[in-house]
Amino acid sequence: MEETAAKPRRSGGGGRQCCICHERRPALKRPKTLEQICRECFYAVFEEEIHQVIVENQLFKPGERIGIGASGGKDSTVLAYVLSELNKRHNYGLDLFLLSVDEGITGYRDDSLETVKRNEVQYGLPLKIVSYKDLYGWTMDEIVKMIGLKNNCTFCGVFRRQALDRGAALLKVDKLATGHNADDIAETVLLNILRGDIARLSRCTSITTGIYSPNAYRGFAREFIKDLERIRPRAILDIIKSGEDFRIATSTKMPEQGTCERCGYISSQKWCKACVLLEGLNRGMPKLGIGRSRGLNSNQMKTDKPTSRTKSIESKQCGSLDF
Amino acid sequence: MACNGSACQSGCYKNGDELAAPEEGGAAAASNSNSNSSSNGSGNNLCVKCKVKEPFTVAGGGGGEDGRFCAECFRSNLFGKFRHAVTSNAMIGPTDNVLVAFSGGPASRVALQFVHELQYKAQKNFDASRDRSLPVFGVGVAFVDESAAHLPSSDKAMDQAIEDVKSLVLELSPPAKELHHFPIESICSGDSSDQREKLKEVLNAVTDATGKEDFLVHLRMLALQKIASENGYTRVVLGSCTSRIACHVISATVKGRGYSLPADIQYVDARWEAPVVLPLHDCLAQELNMLCHLDGLKTIELPYEPQSTINSLISSFVALLQEENPSRESTIVRTAGKLTPFAFNRIPEINDTNVPLATRRRQKRSSLKLNGSISSESFCPMCYSPLIQSKVQALDTPEASKTNSYIFGSSCCSSCRFQILPQDPLCMEHFYSHLPPPLVARASSGNAHDIRSLREHIQDYLLLDSDNEQ
């Protein structure tokens, strides 16, 4: 970052210069610090901070193949730009790719996929699109035709989470970079507290993970975080700090991390959630793995203790159970 | 990437809840302490517990509890939760002198009522027993008067409120209870006008509205501890309920206080000279409101203007979530309950042979629960939260410039440094010079808690009471 050793020039309003270069007129007030900053310095500071995070946490090694999760949205576009910039500027020596997921929903992804294709051209990053059809044999349109409009969010969410991972494996990338920002992580910390998900709470602030699942009160949480940021911008980072400082009691039962018997994906059950859902689709039993219905895993697992309440284990997301 | 709830037609709100429901259903069932194999539908409209009387309803709907219990079962259910918290955490022993913090609100009103009922029963047993072996614990009431912090001058509404508190406490006998009306400025040094001045100065120095509110809470605890130590109380009872604790979980998270959060949300907090206990820990604010309504328990509203702070934002947020899902507050508290508590989150062991053996045994049993708790060594002098050792700031400035206010400031946690302490060094000096002596003493006395726990260890070998203890 070039810091111009300029003499502070005072124009009529005194202190109306960018607080970093003291030369140019400020273009915005930086949300993180509320400082007044000009465009060029904002770019510089923003990129430098990301570079620092990468260096301090040793996120990459030279020669690694990095898949950039690209949705076509602002976060992944910025990520693609910044990573390719920094890769050049600081000689990370990385092999960068764009990785995009096509759920097979007509009209939904088309625009964003166009954006990603543009990114490919603009930043010179090869693009690979993995589709649900490729990975699972079903498009979302086909799934919806089979199961209707209820519960399709479950399918899409579970499949999408795995799709990036599986796509990355197909491409033989060493690491997956996603555009999750502080707001996302803060929101996730908050949601995990609200949901009672202690297992995820302990994982969600580690720098290399980020997990989503669709829920209605996410909307409330998002609003809350926006309001909070207005009152105290640093609260977002404070939430992340709290998340990092949480000490989970060792007596708390955490789900065991194993692998799915069918596909080898990480799972705390014999079959991962995606495989359970797929089995249901393929067998024409679309309710398998949804809600409280007794399903595949309970038949497979001999260790399942009979309970009087119809609590179904497989209705929970992978990695979110208490044993 | 995330599902946009409004566009999606799959009703994933329901789905999300279904996925989460088994856990939350369990929580709701636990908080009702009732079998929930019966459906929620009120076909026959009888109390779900005694199945004899009709459930009561609150006009306009009382939410989750409405139309399930008859008044008596509801009351006994609530008192049951209170009593369970008291006995399983050895909160109140027969030789204890208990100070109930009363704010006028419904939760502390119920706390006061339940403690009174417990004492009344103990008194009846004592009177009826032949050998009078089990003494009755004492109860006092503390009303910390914060009007100097909120109101410009003496206020008629406030005077009336104080009179109401006095008559309320008078009615709660036998056994009679002393009321300690404590103006909060009394923790500052000097005569009464000095004190009011100092309080105003010190509050004005805090520019962040949330910081000011939290600062006042820290001063309130100082006040309660002062009342306790000057009047021989061995416990401080707060009316903090599940709802309040849920808000505290969120607010601590949002202020970067994730490390110290577990310290504040357990049943027992023995950081203090007089350990602080939370017997209404498992009761929802809504239940407590309903009980006040049912039993005509008088609450007192104080004429303070509500402030717009992060804390109030969080209260509205949690209230909104609770409306959307009546087990949300319990879930939040249960999740946070899985964080490791601290060593001081239990009643210290009693080695006094005058205390009945049964009491000592019960206390020992409850303290065994906290295996693997964290031992902390230093505390923030402002909020008394435990500090992560590795993050305790090294004072690497030259000795000469280490003023007392600088030392104080550097030993505070980052949250207090941000939201309470003035940024400007001169303002900080001014602020520090007006702080109440007990606060200042914390920073320099090293670690009061550690000294106490050391004392515990060597108690048996001490021949004389130390004169050094203040």
Side-chain angles (χ1 to χ4, degrees), chain B residues 68-97:
Chain B
R68 301 191 74 223
F69 288 113
C70 66
E72 259 155 52
C73 290
F74 174 74
R75 187 186 300 112
S76 73
N77 175 272
L78 211 53
F79 186 80
K81 287 199 246 190
F82 164 84
R83 198 185 31 218
H84 179 75
V86 170
T87 48
S88 59
N89 293 282
M91 284 184 187
I92 302 176
T95 53
D96 279 318
N97 226 357

PDB file of all heavy atoms in Angstrom, chain B residues 68-97:
ATOM      1  N   ARG B  68     -53.511 -23.832  29.686  1.00  0.00           N
ATOM      2  CA  ARG B  68     -52.991 -25.174  29.926  1.00  0.00           C
ATOM      3  C   ARG B  68     -53.118 -25.575  31.396  1.00  0.00           C
ATOM      4  O   ARG B  68     -53.453 -26.703  31.699  1.00  0.00           O
ATOM      5  CB  ARG B  68     -51.524 -25.241  29.517  1.00  0.00           C
ATOM      6  CG  ARG B  68     -51.328 -24.883  28.056  1.00  0.00           C
ATOM      7  CD  ARG B  68     -49.935 -25.200  27.592  1.00  0.00           C
ATOM      8  NE  ARG B  68     -49.788 -26.635  27.431  1.00  0.00           N
ATOM      9  CZ  ARG B  68     -48.733 -27.331  27.830  1.00  0.00           C
ATOM     10  NH1 ARG B  68     -47.741 -26.730  28.416  1.00  0.00           N
ATOM     11  NH2 ARG B  68     -48.680 -28.619  27.647  1.00  0.00           N
ATOM     12  N   PHE B  69     -52.792 -24.653  32.274  1.00  0.00           N
ATOM     13  CA  PHE B  69     -52.825 -24.958  33.702  1.00  0.00           C
ATOM     14  C   PHE B  69     -53.978 -24.239  34.372  1.00  0.00           C
ATOM     15  O   PHE B  69     -54.377 -23.154  33.966  1.00  0.00           O
ATOM     16  CB  PHE B  69     -51.538 -24.453  34.370  1.00  0.00           C
ATOM     17  CG  PHE B  69     -50.314 -25.249  34.036  1.00  0.00           C
ATOM     18  CD1 PHE B  69     -49.296 -24.693  33.298  1.00  0.00           C
ATOM     19  CD2 PHE B  69     -50.179 -26.550  34.486  1.00  0.00           C
ATOM     20  CE1 PHE B  69     -48.162 -25.416  32.997  1.00  0.00           C
ATOM     21  CE2 PHE B  69     -49.046 -27.283  34.192  1.00  0.00           C
ATOM     22  CZ  PHE B  69     -48.036 -26.716  33.450  1.00  0.00           C
ATOM     23  N   CYS B  70     -54.473 -24.861  35.460  1.00  0.00           N
ATOM     24  CA  CYS B  70     -55.348 -24.096  36.323  1.00  0.00           C
ATOM     25  C   CYS B  70     -54.449 -23.229  37.191  1.00  0.00           C
ATOM     26  O   CYS B  70     -53.252 -23.474  37.291  1.00  0.00           O
ATOM     27  CB  CYS B  70     -56.200 -25.012  37.196  1.00  0.00           C
ATOM     28  SG  CYS B  70     -55.239 -25.951  38.399  1.00  0.00           S
ATOM     29  N   ALA B  71     -55.024 -22.247  37.819  1.00  0.00           N
ATOM     30  CA  ALA B  71     -54.221 -21.266  38.550  1.00  0.00           C
ATOM     31  C   ALA B  71     -53.334 -21.925  39.595  1.00  0.00           C
ATOM     32  O   ALA B  71     -52.159 -21.583  39.741  1.00  0.00           O
ATOM     33  CB  ALA B  71     -55.121 -20.220  39.193  1.00  0.00           C
ATOM     34  N   GLU B  72     -53.884 -22.892  40.317  1.00  0.00           N
ATOM     35  CA  GLU B  72     -53.097 -23.508  41.387  1.00  0.00           C
ATOM     36  C   GLU B  72     -51.927 -24.324  40.874  1.00  0.00           C
ATOM     37  O   GLU B  72     -50.822 -24.249  41.413  1.00  0.00           O
ATOM     38  CB  GLU B  72     -53.987 -24.386  42.256  1.00  0.00           C
ATOM     39  CG  GLU B  72     -54.349 -23.680  43.541  1.00  0.00           C
ATOM     40  CD  GLU B  72     -55.636 -24.207  44.103  1.00  0.00           C
ATOM     41  OE1 GLU B  72     -55.714 -25.439  44.247  1.00  0.00           O
ATOM     42  OE2 GLU B  72     -56.523 -23.380  44.369  1.00  0.00           O
ATOM     43  N   CYS B  73     -52.187 -25.114  39.829  1.00  0.00           N
ATOM     44  CA  CYS B  73     -51.092 -25.914  39.291  1.00  0.00           C
ATOM     45  C   CYS B  73     -50.032 -25.010  38.685  1.00  0.00           C
ATOM     46  O   CYS B  73     -48.841 -25.288  38.774  1.00  0.00           O
ATOM     47  CB  CYS B  73     -51.617 -26.900  38.245  1.00  0.00           C
ATOM     48  SG  CYS B  73     -52.605 -28.216  38.977  1.00  0.00           S
ATOM     49  N   PHE B  74     -50.452 -23.930  38.078  1.00  0.00           N
ATOM     50  CA  PHE B  74     -49.503 -22.985  37.501  1.00  0.00           C
ATOM     51  C   PHE B  74     -48.605 -22.424  38.591  1.00  0.00           C
ATOM     52  O   PHE B  74     -47.379 -22.389  38.467  1.00  0.00           O
ATOM     53  CB  PHE B  74     -50.262 -21.862  36.789  1.00  0.00           C
ATOM     54  CG  PHE B  74     -49.390 -20.753  36.279  1.00  0.00           C
ATOM     55  CD1 PHE B  74     -48.600 -20.948  35.159  1.00  0.00           C
ATOM     56  CD2 PHE B  74     -49.341 -19.523  36.915  1.00  0.00           C
ATOM     57  CE1 PHE B  74     -47.786 -19.937  34.681  1.00  0.00           C
ATOM     58  CE2 PHE B  74     -48.534 -18.506  36.444  1.00  0.00           C
ATOM     59  CZ  PHE B  74     -47.751 -18.713  35.328  1.00  0.00           C
ATOM     60  N   ARG B  75     -49.227 -21.995  39.659  1.00  0.00           N
ATOM     61  CA  ARG B  75     -48.472 -21.414  40.759  1.00  0.00           C
ATOM     62  C   ARG B  75     -47.519 -22.438  41.360  1.00  0.00           C
ATOM     63  O   ARG B  75     -46.354 -22.141  41.597  1.00  0.00           O
ATOM     64  CB  ARG B  75     -49.419 -20.884  41.833  1.00  0.00           C
ATOM     65  CG  ARG B  75     -48.719 -20.098  42.937  1.00  0.00           C
ATOM     66  CD  ARG B  75     -49.667 -19.712  44.057  1.00  0.00           C
ATOM     67  NE  ARG B  75     -50.765 -18.881  43.593  1.00  0.00           N
ATOM     68  CZ  ARG B  75     -52.036 -19.247  43.551  1.00  0.00           C
ATOM     69  NH1 ARG B  75     -52.384 -20.461  43.950  1.00  0.00           N
ATOM     70  NH2 ARG B  75     -52.975 -18.427  43.113  1.00  0.00           N
ATOM     71  N   SER B  76     -48.023 -23.649  41.592  1.00  0.00           N
ATOM     72  CA  SER B  76     -47.162 -24.631  42.237  1.00  0.00           C
ATOM     73  C   SER B  76     -46.041 -25.062  41.292  1.00  0.00           C
ATOM     74  O   SER B  76     -44.931 -25.348  41.725  1.00  0.00           O
ATOM     75  CB  SER B  76     -47.965 -25.840  42.725  1.00  0.00           C
ATOM     76  OG  SER B  76     -48.364 -26.622  41.630  1.00  0.00           O
ATOM     77  N   ASN B  77     -46.316 -25.058  39.996  1.00  0.00           N
ATOM     78  CA  ASN B  77     -45.284 -25.378  39.012  1.00  0.00           C
ATOM     79  C   ASN B  77     -44.154 -24.349  39.077  1.00  0.00           C
ATOM     80  O   ASN B  77     -42.965 -24.680  39.100  1.00  0.00           O
ATOM     81  CB  ASN B  77     -45.916 -25.418  37.621  1.00  0.00           C
ATOM     82  CG  ASN B  77     -44.904 -25.627  36.514  1.00  0.00           C
ATOM     83  OD1 ASN B  77     -44.335 -24.681  36.005  1.00  0.00           O
ATOM     84  ND2 ASN B  77     -44.666 -26.874  36.169  1.00  0.00           N
ATOM     85  N   LEU B  78     -44.551 -23.091  39.128  1.00  0.00           N
ATOM     86  CA  LEU B  78     -43.567 -22.014  39.166  1.00  0.00           C
ATOM     87  C   LEU B  78     -42.763 -22.036  40.459  1.00  0.00           C
ATOM     88  O   LEU B  78     -41.536 -21.921  40.456  1.00  0.00           O
ATOM     89  CB  LEU B  78     -44.292 -20.675  39.011  1.00  0.00           C
ATOM     90  CG  LEU B  78     -43.535 -19.550  38.314  1.00  0.00           C
ATOM     91  CD1 LEU B  78     -43.000 -19.997  36.982  1.00  0.00           C
ATOM     92  CD2 LEU B  78     -44.462 -18.362  38.133  1.00  0.00           C
ATOM     93  N   PHE B  79     -43.487 -22.212  41.574  1.00  0.00           N
ATOM     94  CA  PHE B  79     -42.787 -22.268  42.854  1.00  0.00           C
ATOM     95  C   PHE B  79     -41.877 -23.479  42.897  1.00  0.00           C
ATOM     96  O   PHE B  79     -40.787 -23.444  43.486  1.00  0.00           O
ATOM     97  CB  PHE B  79     -43.791 -22.313  44.016  1.00  0.00           C
ATOM     98  CG  PHE B  79     -43.138 -22.228  45.371  1.00  0.00           C
ATOM     99  CD1 PHE B  79     -42.730 -21.001  45.871  1.00  0.00           C
ATOM    100  CD2 PHE B  79     -42.912 -23.372  46.131  1.00  0.00           C
ATOM    101  CE1 PHE B  79     -42.112 -20.909  47.110  1.00  0.00           C
ATOM    102  CE2 PHE B  79     -42.296 -23.283  47.364  1.00  0.00           C
ATOM    103  CZ  PHE B  79     -41.893 -22.053  47.857  1.00  0.00           C
ATOM    104  N   GLY B  80     -42.320 -24.561  42.248  1.00  0.00           N
ATOM    105  CA  GLY B  80     -41.503 -25.763  42.179  1.00  0.00           C
ATOM    106  C   GLY B  80     -40.172 -25.502  41.491  1.00  0.00           C
ATOM    107  O   GLY B  80     -39.122 -25.968  41.932  1.00  0.00           O
ATOM    108  N   LYS B  81     -40.206 -24.752  40.417  1.00  0.00           N
ATOM    109  CA  LYS B  81     -38.958 -24.440  39.712  1.00  0.00           C
ATOM    110  C   LYS B  81     -38.039 -23.631  40.615  1.00  0.00           C
ATOM    111  O   LYS B  81     -36.822 -23.855  40.655  1.00  0.00           O
ATOM    112  CB  LYS B  81     -39.256 -23.638  38.433  1.00  0.00           C
ATOM    113  CG  LYS B  81     -39.874 -24.467  37.331  1.00  0.00           C
ATOM    114  CD  LYS B  81     -39.711 -23.779  35.996  1.00  0.00           C
ATOM    115  CE  LYS B  81     -41.052 -23.360  35.434  1.00  0.00           C
ATOM    116  NZ  LYS B  81     -40.959 -22.902  34.041  1.00  0.00           N
ATOM    117  N   PHE B  82     -38.619 -22.691  41.331  1.00  0.00           N
ATOM    118  CA  PHE B  82     -37.856 -21.861  42.258  1.00  0.00           C
ATOM    119  C   PHE B  82     -37.213 -22.717  43.324  1.00  0.00           C
ATOM    120  O   PHE B  82     -35.998 -22.659  43.559  1.00  0.00           O
ATOM    121  CB  PHE B  82     -38.797 -20.825  42.876  1.00  0.00           C
ATOM    122  CG  PHE B  82     -38.277 -20.141  44.105  1.00  0.00           C
ATOM    123  CD1 PHE B  82     -37.443 -19.044  43.995  1.00  0.00           C
ATOM    124  CD2 PHE B  82     -38.624 -20.585  45.384  1.00  0.00           C
ATOM    125  CE1 PHE B  82     -36.966 -18.403  45.130  1.00  0.00           C
ATOM    126  CE2 PHE B  82     -38.149 -19.951  46.512  1.00  0.00           C
ATOM    127  CZ  PHE B  82     -37.313 -18.850  46.384  1.00  0.00           C
ATOM    128  N   ARG B  83     -38.024 -23.562  43.952  1.00  0.00           N
ATOM    129  CA  ARG B  83     -37.521 -24.360  45.055  1.00  0.00           C
ATOM    130  C   ARG B  83     -36.462 -25.347  44.577  1.00  0.00           C
ATOM    131  O   ARG B  83     -35.467 -25.588  45.266  1.00  0.00           O
ATOM    132  CB  ARG B  83     -38.668 -25.094  45.755  1.00  0.00           C
ATOM    133  CG  ARG B  83     -38.276 -25.574  47.158  1.00  0.00           C
ATOM    134  CD  ARG B  83     -39.347 -26.401  47.808  1.00  0.00           C
ATOM    135  NE  ARG B  83     -40.105 -27.128  46.814  1.00  0.00           N
ATOM    136  CZ  ARG B  83     -41.407 -27.328  46.894  1.00  0.00           C
ATOM    137  NH1 ARG B  83     -42.086 -26.872  47.929  1.00  0.00           N
ATOM    138  NH2 ARG B  83     -42.052 -27.973  45.949  1.00  0.00           N
ATOM    139  N   HIS B  84     -36.663 -25.902  43.384  1.00  0.00           N
ATOM    140  CA  HIS B  84     -35.688 -26.839  42.842  1.00  0.00           C
ATOM    141  C   HIS B  84     -34.339 -26.147  42.634  1.00  0.00           C
ATOM    142  O   HIS B  84     -33.281 -26.703  42.961  1.00  0.00           O
ATOM    143  CB  HIS B  84     -36.197 -27.413  41.524  1.00  0.00           C
ATOM    144  CG  HIS B  84     -35.251 -28.374  40.895  1.00  0.00           C
ATOM    145  ND1 HIS B  84     -35.068 -29.659  41.350  1.00  0.00           N
ATOM    146  CD2 HIS B  84     -34.408 -28.231  39.858  1.00  0.00           C
ATOM    147  CE1 HIS B  84     -34.175 -30.267  40.609  1.00  0.00           C
ATOM    148  NE2 HIS B  84     -33.749 -29.426  39.691  1.00  0.00           N
ATOM    149  N   ALA B  85     -34.385 -24.924  42.103  1.00  0.00           N
ATOM    150  CA  ALA B  85     -33.148 -24.171  41.890  1.00  0.00           C
ATOM    151  C   ALA B  85     -32.452 -23.909  43.222  1.00  0.00           C
ATOM    152  O   ALA B  85     -31.232 -24.043  43.340  1.00  0.00           O
ATOM    153  CB  ALA B  85     -33.447 -22.859  41.172  1.00  0.00           C
ATOM    154  N   VAL B  86     -33.245 -23.559  44.236  1.00  0.00           N
ATOM    155  CA  VAL B  86     -32.663 -23.241  45.539  1.00  0.00           C
ATOM    156  C   VAL B  86     -32.013 -24.459  46.174  1.00  0.00           C
ATOM    157  O   VAL B  86     -30.880 -24.402  46.658  1.00  0.00           O
ATOM    158  CB  VAL B  86     -33.742 -22.662  46.493  1.00  0.00           C
ATOM    159  CG1 VAL B  86     -33.210 -22.568  47.912  1.00  0.00           C
ATOM    160  CG2 VAL B  86     -34.186 -21.293  46.010  1.00  0.00           C
ATOM    161  N   THR B  87     -32.730 -25.591  46.170  1.00  0.00           N
ATOM    162  CA  THR B  87     -32.186 -26.749  46.872  1.00  0.00           C
ATOM    163  C   THR B  87     -31.046 -27.407  46.094  1.00  0.00           C
ATOM    164  O   THR B  87     -30.019 -27.746  46.683  1.00  0.00           O
ATOM    165  CB  THR B  87     -33.272 -27.805  47.176  1.00  0.00           C
ATOM    166  OG1 THR B  87     -34.020 -28.028  45.972  1.00  0.00           O
ATOM    167  CG2 THR B  87     -34.213 -27.316  48.255  1.00  0.00           C
ATOM    168  N   SER B  88     -31.192 -27.562  44.784  1.00  0.00           N
ATOM    169  CA  SER B  88     -30.128 -28.296  44.089  1.00  0.00           C
ATOM    170  C   SER B  88     -28.855 -27.475  43.937  1.00  0.00           C
ATOM    171  O   SER B  88     -27.804 -28.014  43.608  1.00  0.00           O
ATOM    172  CB  SER B  88     -30.604 -28.803  42.729  1.00  0.00           C
ATOM    173  OG  SER B  88     -31.008 -27.738  41.926  1.00  0.00           O
ATOM    174  N   ASN B  89     -28.899 -26.184  44.177  1.00  0.00           N
ATOM    175  CA  ASN B  89     -27.683 -25.380  44.122  1.00  0.00           C
ATOM    176  C   ASN B  89     -27.265 -24.871  45.483  1.00  0.00           C
ATOM    177  O   ASN B  89     -26.385 -24.017  45.591  1.00  0.00           O
ATOM    178  CB  ASN B  89     -27.865 -24.200  43.163  1.00  0.00           C
ATOM    179  CG  ASN B  89     -28.011 -24.644  41.729  1.00  0.00           C
ATOM    180  OD1 ASN B  89     -27.048 -24.976  41.066  1.00  0.00           O
ATOM    181  ND2 ASN B  89     -29.255 -24.696  41.269  1.00  0.00           N
ATOM    182  N   ALA B  90     -27.888 -25.421  46.522  1.00  0.00           N
ATOM    183  CA  ALA B  90     -27.565 -25.049  47.908  1.00  0.00           C
ATOM    184  C   ALA B  90     -27.538 -23.532  48.075  1.00  0.00           C
ATOM    185  O   ALA B  90     -26.629 -22.972  48.677  1.00  0.00           O
ATOM    186  CB  ALA B  90     -26.224 -25.652  48.316  1.00  0.00           C
ATOM    187  N   MET B  91     -28.549 -22.879  47.523  1.00  0.00           N
ATOM    188  CA  MET B  91     -28.531 -21.418  47.515  1.00  0.00           C
ATOM    189  C   MET B  91     -28.732 -20.816  48.894  1.00  0.00           C
ATOM    190  O   MET B  91     -28.084 -19.834  49.240  1.00  0.00           O
ATOM    191  CB  MET B  91     -29.634 -20.892  46.588  1.00  0.00           C
ATOM    192  CG  MET B  91     -29.324 -21.000  45.125  1.00  0.00           C
ATOM    193  SD  MET B  91     -30.644 -20.237  44.174  1.00  0.00           S
ATOM    194  CE  MET B  91     -30.163 -20.678  42.527  1.00  0.00           C
ATOM    195  N   ILE B  92     -29.684 -21.372  49.624  1.00  0.00           N
ATOM    196  CA  ILE B  92     -30.030 -20.774  50.911  1.00  0.00           C
ATOM    197  C   ILE B  92     -29.948 -21.832  51.993  1.00  0.00           C
ATOM    198  O   ILE B  92     -30.675 -22.822  51.946  1.00  0.00           O
ATOM    199  CB  ILE B  92     -31.460 -20.181  50.888  1.00  0.00           C
ATOM    200  CG1 ILE B  92     -31.569 -19.126  49.783  1.00  0.00           C
ATOM    201  CG2 ILE B  92     -31.800 -19.572  52.233  1.00  0.00           C
ATOM    202  CD1 ILE B  92     -32.972 -18.562  49.627  1.00  0.00           C
ATOM    203  N   GLY B  93     -29.047 -21.629  52.940  1.00  0.00           N
ATOM    204  CA  GLY B  93     -28.945 -22.543  54.067  1.00  0.00           C
ATOM    205  C   GLY B  93     -29.582 -21.929  55.295  1.00  0.00           C
ATOM    206  O   GLY B  93     -29.834 -20.722  55.336  1.00  0.00           O
ATOM    207  N   PRO B  94     -29.827 -22.758  56.321  1.00  0.00           N
ATOM    208  CA  PRO B  94     -30.536 -22.263  57.502  1.00  0.00           C
ATOM    209  C   PRO B  94     -29.791 -21.143  58.236  1.00  0.00           C
ATOM    210  O   PRO B  94     -30.408 -20.341  58.927  1.00  0.00           O
ATOM    211  CB  PRO B  94     -30.672 -23.486  58.413  1.00  0.00           C
ATOM    212  CG  PRO B  94     -30.131 -24.628  57.676  1.00  0.00           C
ATOM    213  CD  PRO B  94     -29.497 -24.184  56.421  1.00  0.00           C
ATOM    214  N   THR B  95     -28.474 -21.087  58.082  1.00  0.00           N
ATOM    215  CA  THR B  95     -27.736 -20.048  58.806  1.00  0.00           C
ATOM    216  C   THR B  95     -27.509 -18.816  57.942  1.00  0.00           C
ATOM    217  O   THR B  95     -26.812 -17.886  58.345  1.00  0.00           O
ATOM    218  CB  THR B  95     -26.370 -20.573  59.260  1.00  0.00           C
ATOM    219  OG1 THR B  95     -25.711 -21.109  58.111  1.00  0.00           O
ATOM    220  CG2 THR B  95     -26.520 -21.654  60.317  1.00  0.00           C
ATOM    221  N   ASP B  96     -28.057 -18.812  56.746  1.00  0.00           N
ATOM    222  CA  ASP B  96     -27.802 -17.691  55.854  1.00  0.00           C
ATOM    223  C   ASP B  96     -28.670 -16.487  56.162  1.00  0.00           C
ATOM    224  O   ASP B  96     -29.766 -16.595  56.708  1.00  0.00           O
ATOM    225  CB  ASP B  96     -28.039 -18.112  54.386  1.00  0.00           C
ATOM    226  CG  ASP B  96     -26.861 -18.862  53.806  1.00  0.00           C
ATOM    227  OD1 ASP B  96     -25.720 -18.440  54.059  1.00  0.00           O
ATOM    228  OD2 ASP B  96     -27.083 -19.878  53.112  1.00  0.00           O
ATOM    229  N   ASN B  97     -28.166 -15.339  55.779  1.00  0.00           N
ATOM    230  CA  ASN B  97     -28.905 -14.094  55.848  1.00  0.00           C
ATOM    231  C   ASN B  97     -29.013 -13.601  54.415  1.00  0.00           C
ATOM    232  O   ASN B  97     -28.013 -13.243  53.794  1.00  0.00           O
ATOM    233  CB  ASN B  97     -28.106 -13.082  56.688  1.00  0.00           C
ATOM    234  CG  ASN B  97     -29.004 -12.402  57.679  1.00  0.00           C
ATOM    235  OD1 ASN B  97     -30.219 -12.619  57.715  1.00  0.00           O
ATOM    236  ND2 ASN B  97     -28.407 -11.573  58.505  1.00  0.00           N
TER     237      ASN B  97
END
